[in-house]
Amino acid sequence: MADTLVRTERPAASAEARRGAVAAPHRKGRFVPLLYVAPALVFYALFVIAPWLHSFWISFWNWNGIGAATWAGLSNYTAVFEEPALRAALTHAFGFIVFYTVVPVILGLILAAVTSAVPWRAMPVIRTIIFLPQILPLVAVGVVWKWIYGEDGPLNQMLRAVGLGSLARAWLGDFTYAFPAVGLIGTWVSTGLCFLLLLAGIGKIEPSLYEAARLDGCGRLREFWHITVPGLRKEIGVACNVTVISALAGFDVVYVMTGGGPGYSTMVPGVQVYQLVFTAGRVGTACALATVLSLITCAAMYGLNRLSRER
Amino acid sequence: MKISRVLAGAVLVALCGTACAPGASKEASGAEPSGPVKKGVTDEKVTLKLVSTPESGAAVKSVIKAFEVKYPQVTIEYEDNSVDDYNKALNLSLASDQAPDIALLNSVGTTVKDGLVLDLSRYAKAYDWDKTYPSTQLNQWRVAEDGSTLGTGGLYAAPAGFSLVGVYYNKAKAAKAGITTPPATLEEFEDALAKAKKAGELPLQLGNQQGHASFAIQLIGQSADGAEKAAQWTFGQKGATFDTPGNRTAADRLTAWKKKGYLPGSANGTDLQTAVDKFTKGRGVYFVDGNWDAEKIGDKLGKDAGFIAFPSPKATAIGTSVAYAISSKSKNADAAAFFLDFLHSPEASAAEFRAGFMPADLTAAKPQDGTVMKDIVTAWGRVNEDNGLVGFNNNATATMNDKLTATTQELLANRTDTDGFVKAIQDEWTKTHG
């Protein structure tokens, strides 16, 4: 998000940089940029790359985290795809993309288009309210929603108050509704972020484009479809990136609300990895699942970035 | 290009750091010490660290006080952590440099296999624990050479009070429903449930979000199959199976009760504590739970709170001891063992009973007449008379609790049937004990 904003706000900066690059081809200077990134790179290598490689390495072992390990070959990886519980976790992660990404981006687009078209005075308040879920710790969000969905919680009380008591149930204990119930929290959290990102993006779309469209007799809807949406291509890309990662790597909300249950109906890879390590003592399998998840995430990011790149 | 070279370097460094098998080399703890043990404590000042959970630790805190008064040269530092966190962190903490001397052991898991706790057989012999405790009570903490089969082999923990799971009932509601005598067989229990339903009450309160339907299943199963056979399965002994007539009846009954509306519809979305709250507010005539909730239920229901061992001609109960083990890393194992021996002293027994556990020395249990604690002591006596105490099915393997939770939820939601349930549980067991 940050680099999109910087790039668009200061077109002069990149021009300067280009001139600088042409003017300084000293041989010594070739190492200077590396010096600048070195601190960050060292930390990244130590705390991200090395642990990732370590966990990749562990994924080839049968190890309970404490005792002696035995070589497992690829058996941990076959387990990830063959054990129903582990496979279900991966499938659910993709299901959550609908709730964390697809719905929030669509909602965010509509909200952003509507609020930018109508200059309400209450705008700052609306923005704050829509963005609020994003700044709450996810564990707190989970605890609050668990109460809302509870058997005697506000949701069921509301249903009973309007005469729909027959629909009331323990939402998180129901095999059919637990998954969407947990997923909707993702929508609630992500919509604010998408909305704000897209609203900022709309602000930088050339106003003359809208003027031209209006002169050509475009309605609001065609304006939205032909100018706003294409103009937000990059922002939509960023919103998708951020939310897809949170969908695939989710842990807090599910752990707090259902722990993966009932049955395995809301199990996600994050919770499964945690259980494999701390309850089952299958650190190797957990690392294999984590590796598969990180590869899937990387692949998804690559695909998304290709899609959102400007043609 | 530069970046890729740096990355390659990082990869190399990381690989060098990890290029060996993860984990400690085998038998890090070395040979167990042998020979005679020093009984008692010397005048030397000793500090021991003990870790526990709040529920189980309530008793041990007062035991520590009594012990320190008697032996002022010993200081015992007490620490506790919630059950979930405790179980997850215990092995790591025992393997660390700051390992505690004495640790609560909730299940054997891989703690013994990894050599993290001492074999207490030498101390058991020196202090005559075999004579203090009935064999069924110590057997739960005996672990065979393979590190996963229980019931035989070295002793790895000493008991500090027992828990038992049975059936609570609301005396007022039962009387109103026309249930005059407590049921003594499964058939009578079902009749009682039917009567309760007819009277417009919820017959059996249940919270299954954390899988507590497994208690009812185990109780029905083991009272039909017999405690001895059931214990073989929980101990992981070769050839045992979950596919028994008793366990099949149990799964059948539970699904039937769900269909007949004997169980709350929201059971899968209710956790144990919420179910306890509901039961104390009068929702439910019967409730299967352990003595750890006796104080809460007794306080709220008062004279209406009753407790029986699960209805069966031969009384059985699910139960285990709060048990403490000594870390392999402890430098004061002898002093720690002396404290473990103190756990069955009259002072300790009284403290354990006050905290709701059944003490080793039953003469310390002096409940008031008409209280739920009185009923629990009576049930405990019956169960021990019939030698019917069986450990938790949930502790049969490290993952059995998760499996029982998921599959009982499926059973109640009609997502699986008796065949599927029994097979899933046995398959999970075979992964460890097969």
Side-chain angles (χ1 to χ4, degrees), chain A residues 31 34 41 45 49-50 53-54 57 61 63-64 66-69 151 170 173 175-176 255 262-264 274-275 278-280, chain B residues 2 6-7 10-11 14 18 20-24 26 88 91-92 110 114 266 268-269 278 398-399 402-403 406 409-410 413 415:
Chain A
F31 294 97
L34 203 62
L41 197 65
I49 296 176
L53 287 170
H54 193 187
W57 177 242
W61 294 82
W63 187 40
N64 69 6
I66 285 165
E151 199 197 349
F175 276 80
T176 317
Y255 181 73
Y264 298 102
Y274 179 79
Q275 283 193 354
F278 289 103
T279 326
Chain B
K2 278 274 143 21
V6 172
L7 277 182
V11 169
T18 58
C20 54
K26 222 174 174 145
K88 279 167 182 144
N91 282 359
L92 289 172
T110 59
D114 292 337
S266 58
N268 275 346
K278 286 179 176 174
T399 51
D402 288 343
K403 195 72 195 178
Q409 284 169 348
E410 286 169 353
R415 299 268 165 152

Side-chain angles (χ1 to χ4, degrees), chain A residues 259-277:
Chain A
Y264 298 102
S265 61
T266 58
M267 186 56 82
V268 289
V271 175
Q272 186 70 67
V273 165
Y274 179 79
Q275 283 193 354
L276 282 171
V277 172

Side-chain angles (χ1 to χ4, degrees), chain B residues 325-376:
Chain B
I326 300 178
S327 163
S328 306
K329 294 195 169 180
S330 173
K331 291 191 180 74
N332 299 303
D334 287 345
F338 186 58
F339 176 73
L340 295 191
D341 185 55
F342 187 74
L343 291 172
H344 66 77
S345 64
E347 298 98 312
S349 292
E352 285 154 16
F353 185 70
R354 267 201 309 278
F357 297 98
M358 297 298 113
D361 183 358
L362 255 187
T363 55
K366 294 192 188 73
Q368 279 179 302
D369 280 340
T371 60
V372 70
M373 280 313 276
K374 176 88 182 179
D375 285 0
I376 292 178

Side-chain angles (χ1 to χ4, degrees), chain B residues 64-314:
Chain B
I64 289 174
K65 267 189 209 127
F67 186 78
E68 284 177 341
V69 168
K70 239 177 161 173
Y71 307 99
Q73 68 272 40
V74 183
T75 312
I76 299 178
E77 291 169 359
Y78 171 87
E79 252 176 50
D80 65 23
N81 212 337
S82 76
V83 183
D84 256 11
D85 294 335
Y86 182 86
N87 289 342
K88 279 167 182 144
L90 177 64
N91 282 359
L92 289 172
S93 121
L94 283 172
S96 77
D97 291 337
Q98 286 98 37
D101 296 284
I102 304 171
L104 172 76
L105 209 57
N106 282 320
S107 67
V108 168
T110 59
T111 313
V112 171
K113 203 175 194 166
D114 292 337
L116 297 172
V117 289
L118 285 182
D119 182 352
L120 304 177
S121 302
R122 297 182 308 134
Y123 297 111
K125 214 168 155 194
Y127 289 112
D128 282 336
W129 288 346
D130 296 0
K131 285 167 198 146
T132 312
Y133 302 100
S135 64
T136 47
Q137 297 180 357
L138 284 186
N139 281 352
Q140 296 193 357
W141 303 107
R142 292 195 186 280
V143 186
E145 290 278 314
D146 64 4
S148 58
T149 307
L150 311 184
T152 56
L155 182 73
Y156 287 89
F162 293 81
S163 59
L164 82 156
V165 176
V167 185
Y168 287 93
Y169 66 105
N170 187 323
K171 288 178 180 167
K173 299 253 167 196
K176 229 167 77 192
I179 305 162
T180 43
T181 48
T185 63
L186 181 60
E187 288 69 37
E188 286 180 31
F189 187 52
E190 284 205 278
D191 286 346
L193 293 178
K195 275 185 189 161
K197 180 77 189 168
K198 221 177 238 167
E201 298 289 346
L202 172 69
L204 186 61
Q205 180 57 260
L206 172 69
N208 197 38
Q209 193 174 50
Q210 300 145 311
H212 287 94
S214 61
F215 287 176
I217 290 179
Q218 183 176 352
L219 285 170
I220 300 174
Q222 72 188 26
S223 44
D225 295 335
E228 202 183 333
K229 201 171 166 202
Q232 282 170 1
W233 189 82
T234 60
F235 283 162
Q237 286 172 0
K238 288 266 167 305
T241 176
F242 193 75
D243 192 352
T244 63
N247 285 330
R248 284 185 166 273
T249 310
D252 285 345
R253 292 296 86 200
L254 203 74
T255 31
W257 294 350
K258 181 79 205 306
K259 276 199 198 103
K260 290 179 181 166
Y262 292 178
L263 308 175
S266 58
N268 275 346
T270 308
D271 61 20
L272 182 67
Q273 281 319 306
T274 312
V276 172
D277 287 341
K278 286 179 176 174
F279 180 70
T280 58
K281 281 177 190 147
R283 279 155 82 178
V285 177
Y286 292 98
F287 179 47
V288 176
D289 193 15
N291 60 325
W292 53 82
D293 281 322
E295 203 182 345
K296 198 170 174 186
I297 292 172
D299 277 354
K300 297 245 177 80
L301 282 181
K303 290 252 174 253
D304 289 338
F307 184 92
I308 49 170
F310 192 82
S312 164
K314 266 195 133 188

Side-chain angles (χ1 to χ4, degrees), chain A residues 31-201:
Chain A
F31 294 97
V32 174
L34 203 62
L35 267 176
Y36 284 114
V37 295
L41 197 65
V42 165
F43 273 89
Y44 190 70
L46 268 179
F47 294 107
V48 179
I49 296 176
W52 190 84
L53 287 170
H54 193 187
S55 98
F56 182 60
W57 177 242
I58 293 173
S59 71
F60 295 105
W61 294 82
N62 291 318
W63 187 40
N64 69 6
I66 285 165
T70 54
W71 182 252
L74 289 174
S75 68
N76 284 326
Y77 287 90
T78 46
V80 167
F81 294 104
E82 272 171 9
E83 277 181 41
L86 305 193
R87 218 173 33 204
L90 284 174
T91 323
H92 292 153
F94 281 97
F96 272 139
I97 291 179
V98 174
F99 292 100
Y100 276 73
T101 308
V102 179
V103 179
V105 167
I106 293 172
L107 275 179
L109 259 176
I110 295 169
L111 281 171
V114 169
T115 49
S116 67
V118 191
W120 283 319
R121 285 180 64 195
M123 232 356 247
V125 181
I126 295 172
R127 266 203 312 253
T128 312
I129 290 173
I130 298 181
F131 193 68
L132 206 58
Q134 187 69 35
I135 60 164
L136 296 173
L138 282 177
V139 171
V141 167
V143 171
V144 169
W145 278 92
K146 189 177 173 180
W147 170 71
I148 292 175
Y149 282 133
E151 199 197 349
D152 299 318
L155 178 61
N156 281 338
Q157 281 173 12
M158 224 163 66
L159 284 173
R160 286 182 192 121
V162 297
L164 292 171
S166 59
L167 290 179
R169 66 193 74 224
W171 295 92
L172 297 175
D174 191 294
F175 276 80
T176 317
Y177 294 102
F179 186 77
V182 173
L184 273 178
I185 297 158
T187 308
W188 183 73
V189 170
S190 296
T191 302
L193 176 76
C194 296
F195 164 69
L196 218 62
L197 261 173
L198 299 173
L199 192 66

